[in-house]
Amino acid sequence: MTIALTTLLDEANRYLDAAAIKDYCPNGLQVEGRATVARIVSGVTASQALLDAAIEAGADMVLVHHGYFWKSEDPRVIGMKQRRLKTLIINDVSLVAYHLPLDLHPVVGNNVQLAERLGITVEGGIEPGNPRSIVLQGTLSEPRTAAEFAAHIKHVLGREPLVIEGDRPIKRIAWCTGGAQGYIDQAITAGVDAYLTGEVSEQTVHSARENGISFFAAGHHATERYGVQALGEYLAGRFGIEHVFIDSSNPA
């Protein structure tokens, strides 16, 4: 079965409410390929490795969280960018990317999908009165030490997290996938026991230590594998087409 690319895009944009979210890149269709889609291949980042694997898998459309054309990006089509775009264009494959809309969504979003896998009960955003809070907060079913929760993260994500151990058991936790270490101060203000994200900065360690909370950096790629899979599955189920997720490994 196939579906028109335009129909699929209309549904994805509607479902994610993409037009309402200000972002650092264009969300939705970034490179236009063939007019119909029978197979979606999803992945975290539109790297050359993912594109090559998607072409090999027979993709009509590549769906990612990290696409192209960022605001700070060199606009010239040269080098790596030229090779990536050439791969898509000569194979007539579309590239569709959703950044913040895929982080924020209450069902297929990266944050809620990660919480589901880690057994965190979502209570809402960390910013009072902001329905689009990028950082969520919630609770664990029972208190855990930092070491216990780190072991749980490793088991679920298959990646050893960087851990800063706080001075109390973890019951309430705030989190945001990817490169959201800068929100640790909001987490501290909210009074949680721990903050979880993908990356770490030098100053993040001091903030955690000096405020007595635990901090976990579980990997940008590792924490953002699940939203794009969920979106791909939603679209495939909605239109009766195929979806394949390809995890191009990235240790960061």
Side-chain angles (χ1 to χ4, degrees):
M1 184 169 178
T2 63
I3 187 72
L5 175 64
T6 54
T7 301
L8 192 153
L9 289 170
D10 286 346
E11 175 59 14
N13 289 330
R14 180 205 67 79
Y15 186 59
L16 296 178
D17 197 19
I21 299 170
K22 187 176 180 181
D23 211 336
Y24 312 100
C25 60
N27 285 296
L29 184 64
Q30 293 191 340
V31 179
E32 185 176 3
R34 58 185 68 103
T36 58
V37 176
R39 176 174 290 185
I40 299 170
V41 169
S42 66
V44 177
T45 299
S47 64
Q48 189 66 52
L50 176 64
L51 298 183
D52 292 342
I55 300 304
E56 182 69 22
D60 301 300
M61 185 184 98
V62 177
L63 174 67
V64 297
H65 180 48
H66 301 138
Y68 306 151
F69 313 116
W70 301 92
K71 286 183 179 178
S72 59
E73 185 178 295
D74 185 341
R76 295 176 298 167
V77 182
I78 59 175
M80 182 175 74
K81 180 188 286 187
Q82 185 269 353
R83 295 189 296 273
R84 290 175 172 184
L85 293 174
K86 183 178 180 180
T87 299
L88 290 162
I89 291 169
I90 65 174
N91 287 284
D92 204 18
V93 172
S94 297
L95 176 66
V96 177
Y98 292 100
H99 184 231
L100 292 183
L102 193 54
D103 289 321
L104 293 167
H105 196 269
V107 178
V108 300
N110 281 317
N111 284 328
V112 294
Q113 288 289 318
L114 182 63
E116 180 179 316
R117 284 161 176 81
L118 292 177
I120 304 170
T121 299
V122 180
E123 296 181 341
I126 204 169
E127 301 172 78
N130 180 6
R132 295 193 189 279
S133 175
I134 191 68
V135 182
L136 298 183
Q137 60 181 325
T139 56
L140 304 181
S141 59
E142 59 183 23
R144 294 195 179 197
T145 66
E148 289 171 341
F149 193 59
H152 178 57
I153 292 170
K154 180 180 179 181
H155 174 73
V156 173
L157 302 187
R159 182 190 190 279
E160 187 94 42
L162 179 147
V163 184
I164 304 299
E165 294 193 26
D167 57 12
R168 57 186 180 269
I170 300 167
K171 178 66 175 179
R172 294 188 60 233
I173 185 169
W175 71 97
C176 182
T177 65
Q181 62 269 39
Y183 289 101
I184 189 172
D185 292 334
Q186 289 187 23
I188 291 165
T189 300
V192 297
D193 304 311
Y195 181 58
L196 164 68
T197 187
E199 299 183 12
V200 63
S201 296
E202 191 270 348
Q203 64 268 27
T204 315
V205 175
H206 300 300
S207 292
R209 285 174 175 167
E210 294 177 32
N211 287 281
I213 75 166
S214 295
F215 171 78
F216 304 90
H220 196 135
H221 176 91
T223 57
E224 297 197 323
R225 288 180 295 196
Y226 306 110
V228 73
Q229 291 184 62
L231 178 60
E233 287 298 304
Y234 169 80
L235 293 171
R238 174 75 174 77
F239 295 111
I241 58 178
E242 297 180 10
H243 166 245
V244 178
F245 173 73
I246 294 177
D247 188 13
S248 297
S249 63
N250 188 326

